[in-house]
Amino acid sequence: MPMPRLRLTPDVSHGPLDGAWWPRCDALELELPVLVGSLDPSSGTVTRVTVGSAAWPDAPQEVMAPGHVIVVVLTDSAAEAHAITVDCGTVGRWELLVIPPDEPVGVATRLLTAAADAGNPLSAPRLLALAESGLDEQNAWESEGGAGPR
């Protein structure tokens, strides 16, 4: 069984992220339908995503998903550099950390878990920076207002 590539906050998120997504490659037109297919259909139809142009420079303006088209909006915002915003019209929206496809399994697993923690206070760029610098995410999370061990 392959490792989960998406982890969402189980209930209502109180932080800047609602989970994390670890695509297998950097081709958004291939990966986005897989992501959309992993989401709970009761949350509505994904109509639009916003991604950072630095992470997805060749992203198409539209991606076909089963039964509909998803509009892709590119942004230069530093806050979106390592994130994807998934909009389901008026029903819901997720802000997800995007873990680079080439991230080692151990680091990706820790990032998936940290981003899906409902009490996580860290943004996508901050979580990824901590992982890349090799710092202990738990200690950094606690020093920046996290709930600490449970």
Side-chain angles (χ1 to χ4, degrees), residues 29-139:
E29 64 275 14
L30 299 176
E31 293 290 336
L32 190 56
V34 175
L35 170 63
V36 169
S38 299
L39 299 173
D40 182 354
S42 69
S43 299
T45 300
V46 175
T47 57
R48 181 175 92 157
V49 298
T50 303
V51 295
S53 57
W56 305 94
D58 300 323
Q61 293 180 345
E62 295 180 334
V63 172
M64 289 299 302
H68 69 288
V69 174
I70 301 169
V71 174
V72 177
V73 177
L74 292 175
T75 180
D76 291 330
S77 167
E80 296 285 341
H82 303 289
I84 183 170
T85 302
V86 180
D87 288 306
C88 298
T90 59
V91 178
R93 168 185 176 153
W94 290 282
E95 182 74 24
L96 303 174
L97 165 68
V98 176
I99 301 167
D102 60 351
E103 201 68 55
V105 172
V107 173
T109 301
R110 286 192 303 275
L111 286 168
L112 284 162
T113 300
D117 184 323
N120 170 43
L122 304 178
S123 67
R126 181 73 176 125
L127 269 176
L128 199 55
L130 286 172
E132 289 175 353
S133 69
L135 295 177
D136 180 352
E137 289 96 0
Q138 182 67 29
N139 289 337

